[in-house]
Amino acid sequence: MDIVVVGRNTEVAERFRDHLNEKLAKVEQLAPQTQRIDVEVSHERNPRLADRKERVELTVRGRGPVVRAEASSSDRYSALDLAFARLAERLRRARDRQKDRRQNGVSARDLVADVPPVQASEPPAPEPAKPTAPTARGEAVESQMGDSPVIVRQKLHEAVPMSVDQALYQMELVGHPFFLFIDEETSQPCVVYHRHGWTYGVIRLDATATPVEESADAQ
């Protein structure tokens, strides 16, 4: 199992790397098929965010669903502890789900949400008037919206067709409030998202809709 550590706006000391390796070695007990763990460590320089200036994101990749967890704290070691606790809970949930499927006579599918690893030391992007979309899977592009301070970061992912139930499961594993996917029955682009309590929503896009043409007055 490989552990890949990158720092964003910060250096990662050897002492912290050793601590990471020791803690993340426990992942194999929960997910024996893990092949790699991506670790992103970032530092927030805004003094107003001092209570969460250290952020750690953990992403487990292997033969199965991608599982992710992240946490922020005033201390890097505390952020790691929080992120690892969330990661362990999601790995247990994934293991239990696969176990239930085997007991019910249903083989577990490998649901891969291909999240590319964060690239360290990315070159500064130019400042186009509009965001520049990535053209290759795994590519990450950052661009500035004109003269505004808004930075847009885009990534291109592989779309794996799946059911709504599988998309909800995948969303829970990566810890996001929404998940974009292709419905395996209708081939529609869809988004599942948290609403409130234990309710969820699904937004579907009709890719066959005719684009709205500009009126003659708008020409």
Side-chain angles (χ1 to χ4, degrees), residues 4-13 16-17 20 38-44 53-58 76 79-80 118:
V4 180
V5 183
V6 297
R8 184 175 292 277
N9 300 324
T10 187
E11 295 291 334
V12 182
F16 186 75
R17 290 176 183 268
L20 266 174
D38 292 328
V39 182
E40 179 182 339
V41 181
S42 57
H43 175 76
E44 175 58 57
K53 64 181 179 180
E54 300 294 339
R55 177 176 171 273
V56 175
E57 178 180 315
L58 308 173
R76 184 166 296 182
L80 172 60
V118 176

Side-chain angles (χ1 to χ4, degrees), residues 116 122 128 130-136 138-145 151-157:
E122 293 181 350
K130 296 182 179 180
T132 302
T135 58
E139 179 183 4
V141 174
E142 287 189 358
S143 54
Q144 185 171 346
M145 294 289 290
I151 300 296
V152 177
R153 180 179 177 85
Q154 301 187 55
K155 289 184 180 181
L156 183 63
H157 299 268

Side-chain angles (χ1 to χ4, degrees), residues 4 30 51 59 97-98 137 181 185:
V4 180
L30 297 170
D51 59 335
T59 304
R97 180 183 173 100
Q98 291 176 349
R137 184 164 63 89
F181 70 104
E185 294 185 0

Side-chain angles (χ1 to χ4, degrees), residues 38-111:
D38 292 328
V39 182
E40 179 182 339
V41 181
S42 57
H43 175 76
E44 175 58 57
R45 298 175 180 174
N46 188 341
R48 295 182 179 180
L49 303 176
D51 59 335
R52 55 182 186 276
K53 64 181 179 180
E54 300 294 339
R55 177 176 171 273
V56 175
E57 178 180 315
L58 308 173
T59 304
V60 173
R61 306 176 189 277
R63 291 177 295 178
V66 171
V67 183
R68 181 188 293 106
E70 61 183 66
S72 299
S73 179
S74 59
D75 175 77
R76 184 166 296 182
Y77 289 85
S78 297
L80 172 60
D81 289 342
L82 290 171
F84 181 78
R86 294 171 183 172
L87 181 71
E89 176 59 30
R90 289 167 187 167
L91 289 173
R92 292 189 187 97
R93 191 182 308 167
R95 182 185 61 186
D96 293 343
R97 180 183 173 100
Q98 291 176 349
K99 187 182 301 182
D100 291 342
R101 287 191 172 189
R102 287 194 295 267
Q103 290 175 351
N104 293 332
V106 180
S107 61
R109 292 181 55 185
D110 289 341
L111 306 178

